[in-house]
Amino acid sequence: MTDLRTTLAGVEFPNPVFTASGCAAAGQELDGFFDVTALGGVVTKSIMLAARSGRATPRMAETPSGMLNSIGLQGPGIEAFLEHELAWLADRGARAVVSIAGGSVEDYARLAQKLRGRPGLAMVEVNISCPNVEDRGQVFACDPRAAAGVVEAVRKATAPGVPVFAKLSPDVTDIAAVARACVAAGADGLSVINTLLGMVIDVDRMRPVLGGVTGGLSGPAIRPVAVRCVWQVHAALPDVPILGMGGIRTGLDALEFVLAGASAVSVGTTVFGDPTAPVRVLAELHQALQERGFDHVRDAVGLAHRPPEAYLPERPDPVGDDQGSTA
Ligand code: RRO
């Protein structure tokens, strides 16, 4: 049996499959389909200081192999979140990764302060890359200095021992530069990636489909972009843990992210069609690792970066592809 335990910045999780922020609220709805404590962790929808109704409707559109969303950070605000959602996750025994979002460095710092000492809090994900904000100046992850300012404030306000992960945007020229700036500012790890900015136009109405005009593209359509980003960030910062996400639908998709350098993965958009996807992906990933002879998932992290002649585990059985055993 492959050991699935994974460690992110000193915190151990029982396995490397998490929900993705924004795709499962705070886990209650998914818990009707499977036991959310079976996952490595539950990453909650980004929360802001105040309640927020979000952008104009329509807020979602299907795209080829993907989905556009223009939610606009709808949420109950931090106080209601702490009382009803984080408290529920803690009671349930889930490991909560709380995603926070703000319009200023000060907002983020206050959110981090409010999370200090809360039961159930395993990690903080700093969402500096939401594409659906009022202006692009608020997409802190598009500028290394702006990203660093937020990360530094959150790291200072967060209890020691609680990892702070910065969530990066793919909509940049050099994602490794932003990653380096976040880590230099104190990020313990990186979540890679948020959605890509996109839009669709209704050719009958001859107007944008989304009320917010532009939206964030997710789903399998973005997976190669996400894998490339994980690869580049891991190549630049091989010792920094990565939570990888973007279009994961199967265990083999998850394995791609692990081989590119992710120590854990988030399963997002696919849950809208298949709410049990996270536990299925976990089982499939486990099987894929076992078939490839891995004793521990950590041995697969970043393996694709190694030269072809480097160590590969002995495969116990052929996995049904053309290459058969690598032994
Ligand atoms: O709420 C959203 O519209 C949203 C967020 Br916070 C995000 O980080 N990414 C996204 O695609 N949508």
PDB file of all heavy atoms in Angstrom, residues 193-211:
ATOM      1  N   ILE A 193      -2.896  26.638  -9.627  1.00  0.00           N
ATOM      2  CA  ILE A 193      -3.137  28.015 -10.003  1.00  0.00           C
ATOM      3  C   ILE A 193      -4.607  28.400  -9.756  1.00  0.00           C
ATOM      4  O   ILE A 193      -5.454  27.523  -9.621  1.00  0.00           O
ATOM      5  CB  ILE A 193      -2.871  28.242 -11.534  1.00  0.00           C
ATOM      6  CG1 ILE A 193      -3.689  27.245 -12.348  1.00  0.00           C
ATOM      7  CG2 ILE A 193      -1.421  28.262 -11.854  1.00  0.00           C
ATOM      8  CD1 ILE A 193      -3.661  27.435 -13.865  1.00  0.00           C
ATOM      9  N   ASN A 194      -4.890  29.687  -9.797  1.00  0.00           N
ATOM     10  CA  ASN A 194      -6.262  30.179  -9.846  1.00  0.00           C
ATOM     11  C   ASN A 194      -6.743  30.086 -11.299  1.00  0.00           C
ATOM     12  O   ASN A 194      -6.025  29.606 -12.173  1.00  0.00           O
ATOM     13  CB  ASN A 194      -6.321  31.630  -9.345  1.00  0.00           C
ATOM     14  CG  ASN A 194      -7.673  31.967  -8.712  1.00  0.00           C
ATOM     15  OD1 ASN A 194      -8.727  31.615  -9.246  1.00  0.00           O
ATOM     16  ND2 ASN A 194      -7.652  32.647  -7.577  1.00  0.00           N
ATOM     17  N   THR A 195      -7.948  30.540 -11.558  1.00  0.00           N
ATOM     18  CA  THR A 195      -8.515  30.484 -12.913  1.00  0.00           C
ATOM     19  C   THR A 195      -7.837  31.491 -13.841  1.00  0.00           C
ATOM     20  O   THR A 195      -7.205  32.453 -13.388  1.00  0.00           O
ATOM     21  CB  THR A 195     -10.008  30.788 -12.842  1.00  0.00           C
ATOM     22  OG1 THR A 195     -10.184  32.016 -12.134  1.00  0.00           O
ATOM     23  CG2 THR A 195     -10.772  29.686 -12.130  1.00  0.00           C
ATOM     24  N   LEU A 196      -8.003  31.266 -15.140  1.00  0.00           N
ATOM     25  CA  LEU A 196      -7.475  32.201 -16.147  1.00  0.00           C
ATOM     26  C   LEU A 196      -8.582  33.184 -16.531  1.00  0.00           C
ATOM     27  O   LEU A 196      -9.739  32.777 -16.675  1.00  0.00           O
ATOM     28  CB  LEU A 196      -7.069  31.457 -17.416  1.00  0.00           C
ATOM     29  CG  LEU A 196      -5.750  30.681 -17.435  1.00  0.00           C
ATOM     30  CD1 LEU A 196      -5.904  29.326 -16.759  1.00  0.00           C
ATOM     31  CD2 LEU A 196      -5.303  30.469 -18.870  1.00  0.00           C
ATOM     32  N   LEU A 197      -8.219  34.426 -16.746  1.00  0.00           N
ATOM     33  CA  LEU A 197      -9.228  35.415 -17.144  1.00  0.00           C
ATOM     34  C   LEU A 197      -9.704  35.113 -18.571  1.00  0.00           C
ATOM     35  O   LEU A 197      -8.896  34.983 -19.498  1.00  0.00           O
ATOM     36  CB  LEU A 197      -8.616  36.820 -17.079  1.00  0.00           C
ATOM     37  CG  LEU A 197      -9.610  37.968 -17.253  1.00  0.00           C
ATOM     38  CD1 LEU A 197     -10.585  38.038 -16.080  1.00  0.00           C
ATOM     39  CD2 LEU A 197      -8.873  39.300 -17.391  1.00  0.00           C
ATOM     40  N   GLY A 198     -11.027  34.992 -18.711  1.00  0.00           N
ATOM     41  CA  GLY A 198     -11.578  34.693 -20.034  1.00  0.00           C
ATOM     42  C   GLY A 198     -12.914  35.372 -20.241  1.00  0.00           C
ATOM     43  O   GLY A 198     -13.431  36.037 -19.341  1.00  0.00           O
ATOM     44  N   MET A 199     -13.483  35.214 -21.426  1.00  0.00           N
ATOM     45  CA  MET A 199     -14.853  35.697 -21.644  1.00  0.00           C
ATOM     46  C   MET A 199     -15.495  34.984 -22.813  1.00  0.00           C
ATOM     47  O   MET A 199     -14.796  34.420 -23.660  1.00  0.00           O
ATOM     48  CB  MET A 199     -14.906  37.222 -21.818  1.00  0.00           C
ATOM     49  CG  MET A 199     -14.448  37.772 -23.116  1.00  0.00           C
ATOM     50  SD  MET A 199     -14.638  39.601 -23.166  1.00  0.00           S
ATOM     51  CE  MET A 199     -16.403  39.814 -23.369  1.00  0.00           C
ATOM     52  N   VAL A 200     -16.826  34.973 -22.828  1.00  0.00           N
ATOM     53  CA  VAL A 200     -17.582  34.428 -23.957  1.00  0.00           C
ATOM     54  C   VAL A 200     -18.658  35.437 -24.345  1.00  0.00           C
ATOM     55  O   VAL A 200     -19.203  36.155 -23.485  1.00  0.00           O
ATOM     56  CB  VAL A 200     -18.237  33.069 -23.640  1.00  0.00           C
ATOM     57  CG1 VAL A 200     -17.239  31.945 -23.771  1.00  0.00           C
ATOM     58  CG2 VAL A 200     -18.874  33.039 -22.273  1.00  0.00           C
ATOM     59  N   ILE A 201     -18.962  35.453 -25.628  1.00  0.00           N
ATOM     60  CA  ILE A 201     -19.976  36.380 -26.150  1.00  0.00           C
ATOM     61  C   ILE A 201     -21.130  35.579 -26.755  1.00  0.00           C
ATOM     62  O   ILE A 201     -20.904  34.620 -27.497  1.00  0.00           O
ATOM     63  CB  ILE A 201     -19.343  37.334 -27.179  1.00  0.00           C
ATOM     64  CG1 ILE A 201     -18.376  38.287 -26.451  1.00  0.00           C
ATOM     65  CG2 ILE A 201     -20.413  38.118 -27.944  1.00  0.00           C
ATOM     66  CD1 ILE A 201     -17.615  39.239 -27.339  1.00  0.00           C
ATOM     67  N   ASP A 202     -22.342  35.946 -26.377  1.00  0.00           N
ATOM     68  CA  ASP A 202     -23.549  35.331 -26.924  1.00  0.00           C
ATOM     69  C   ASP A 202     -23.783  35.956 -28.308  1.00  0.00           C
ATOM     70  O   ASP A 202     -24.061  37.161 -28.414  1.00  0.00           O
ATOM     71  CB  ASP A 202     -24.713  35.623 -25.958  1.00  0.00           C
ATOM     72  CG  ASP A 202     -26.033  35.040 -26.436  1.00  0.00           C
ATOM     73  OD1 ASP A 202     -26.217  34.897 -27.665  1.00  0.00           O
ATOM     74  OD2 ASP A 202     -26.878  34.754 -25.574  1.00  0.00           O
ATOM     75  N   VAL A 203     -23.659  35.133 -29.339  1.00  0.00           N
ATOM     76  CA  VAL A 203     -23.710  35.704 -30.694  1.00  0.00           C
ATOM     77  C   VAL A 203     -25.137  36.007 -31.144  1.00  0.00           C
ATOM     78  O   VAL A 203     -25.332  36.669 -32.169  1.00  0.00           O
ATOM     79  CB  VAL A 203     -22.990  34.795 -31.721  1.00  0.00           C
ATOM     80  CG1 VAL A 203     -21.485  34.794 -31.465  1.00  0.00           C
ATOM     81  CG2 VAL A 203     -23.545  33.374 -31.702  1.00  0.00           C
ATOM     82  N   ASP A 204     -26.159  35.533 -30.407  1.00  0.00           N
ATOM     83  CA  ASP A 204     -27.541  35.931 -30.736  1.00  0.00           C
ATOM     84  C   ASP A 204     -27.847  37.295 -30.127  1.00  0.00           C
ATOM     85  O   ASP A 204     -28.316  38.205 -30.788  1.00  0.00           O
ATOM     86  CB  ASP A 204     -28.532  34.874 -30.231  1.00  0.00           C
ATOM     87  CG  ASP A 204     -28.361  33.561 -30.987  1.00  0.00           C
ATOM     88  OD1 ASP A 204     -28.138  33.622 -32.222  1.00  0.00           O
ATOM     89  OD2 ASP A 204     -28.405  32.493 -30.353  1.00  0.00           O
ATOM     90  N   ARG A 205     -27.516  37.417 -28.845  1.00  0.00           N
ATOM     91  CA  ARG A 205     -27.722  38.714 -28.176  1.00  0.00           C
ATOM     92  C   ARG A 205     -26.620  39.709 -28.542  1.00  0.00           C
ATOM     93  O   ARG A 205     -26.760  40.903 -28.359  1.00  0.00           O
ATOM     94  CB  ARG A 205     -27.746  38.530 -26.650  1.00  0.00           C
ATOM     95  CG  ARG A 205     -29.014  37.860 -26.130  1.00  0.00           C
ATOM     96  CD  ARG A 205     -28.928  37.611 -24.614  1.00  0.00           C
ATOM     97  NE  ARG A 205     -28.437  38.759 -23.873  1.00  0.00           N
ATOM     98  CZ  ARG A 205     -27.244  38.823 -23.266  1.00  0.00           C
ATOM     99  NH1 ARG A 205     -26.420  37.788 -23.304  1.00  0.00           N
ATOM    100  NH2 ARG A 205     -26.884  39.898 -22.621  1.00  0.00           N
ATOM    101  N   MET A 206     -25.522  39.143 -29.034  1.00  0.00           N
ATOM    102  CA  MET A 206     -24.354  39.946 -29.414  1.00  0.00           C
ATOM    103  C   MET A 206     -23.837  40.782 -28.236  1.00  0.00           C
ATOM    104  O   MET A 206     -23.455  41.949 -28.389  1.00  0.00           O
ATOM    105  CB  MET A 206     -24.652  40.785 -30.658  1.00  0.00           C
ATOM    106  CG  MET A 206     -24.935  39.886 -31.861  1.00  0.00           C
ATOM    107  SD  MET A 206     -24.991  40.703 -33.449  1.00  0.00           S
ATOM    108  CE  MET A 206     -26.598  41.469 -33.368  1.00  0.00           C
ATOM    109  N   ARG A 207     -23.843  40.114 -27.078  1.00  0.00           N
ATOM    110  CA  ARG A 207     -23.364  40.745 -25.839  1.00  0.00           C
ATOM    111  C   ARG A 207     -22.593  39.688 -25.030  1.00  0.00           C
ATOM    112  O   ARG A 207     -22.815  38.493 -25.220  1.00  0.00           O
ATOM    113  CB  ARG A 207     -24.550  41.234 -24.967  1.00  0.00           C
ATOM    114  CG  ARG A 207     -25.347  42.362 -25.583  1.00  0.00           C
ATOM    115  CD  ARG A 207     -24.574  43.668 -25.642  1.00  0.00           C
ATOM    116  NE  ARG A 207     -25.377  44.751 -26.187  1.00  0.00           N
ATOM    117  CZ  ARG A 207     -25.617  44.969 -27.475  1.00  0.00           C
ATOM    118  NH1 ARG A 207     -25.101  44.159 -28.394  1.00  0.00           N
ATOM    119  NH2 ARG A 207     -26.361  45.987 -27.867  1.00  0.00           N
ATOM    120  N   PRO A 208     -21.761  40.131 -24.096  1.00  0.00           N
ATOM    121  CA  PRO A 208     -21.087  39.145 -23.240  1.00  0.00           C
ATOM    122  C   PRO A 208     -22.112  38.280 -22.498  1.00  0.00           C
ATOM    123  O   PRO A 208     -23.163  38.788 -22.077  1.00  0.00           O
ATOM    124  CB  PRO A 208     -20.293  40.005 -22.255  1.00  0.00           C
ATOM    125  CG  PRO A 208     -20.112  41.320 -22.951  1.00  0.00           C
ATOM    126  CD  PRO A 208     -21.355  41.514 -23.782  1.00  0.00           C
ATOM    127  N   VAL A 209     -21.803  36.998 -22.346  1.00  0.00           N
ATOM    128  CA  VAL A 209     -22.713  36.086 -21.641  1.00  0.00           C
ATOM    129  C   VAL A 209     -22.771  36.413 -20.157  1.00  0.00           C
ATOM    130  O   VAL A 209     -23.837  36.424 -19.548  1.00  0.00           O
ATOM    131  CB  VAL A 209     -22.258  34.611 -21.843  1.00  0.00           C
ATOM    132  CG1 VAL A 209     -23.010  33.675 -20.911  1.00  0.00           C
ATOM    133  CG2 VAL A 209     -22.445  34.197 -23.299  1.00  0.00           C
ATOM    134  N   LEU A 210     -21.607  36.674 -19.563  1.00  0.00           N
ATOM    135  CA  LEU A 210     -21.551  36.880 -18.110  1.00  0.00           C
ATOM    136  C   LEU A 210     -21.951  38.303 -17.733  1.00  0.00           C
ATOM    137  O   LEU A 210     -21.529  39.271 -18.404  1.00  0.00           O
ATOM    138  CB  LEU A 210     -20.131  36.606 -17.596  1.00  0.00           C
ATOM    139  CG  LEU A 210     -19.630  35.166 -17.734  1.00  0.00           C
ATOM    140  CD1 LEU A 210     -18.147  35.086 -17.350  1.00  0.00           C
ATOM    141  CD2 LEU A 210     -20.447  34.213 -16.853  1.00  0.00           C
ATOM    142  N   GLY A 211     -22.712  38.406 -16.641  1.00  0.00           N
ATOM    143  CA  GLY A 211     -23.064  39.733 -16.140  1.00  0.00           C
ATOM    144  C   GLY A 211     -21.823  40.564 -15.836  1.00  0.00           C
ATOM    145  O   GLY A 211     -21.797  41.773 -16.046  1.00  0.00           O
TER     146      GLY A 211
END
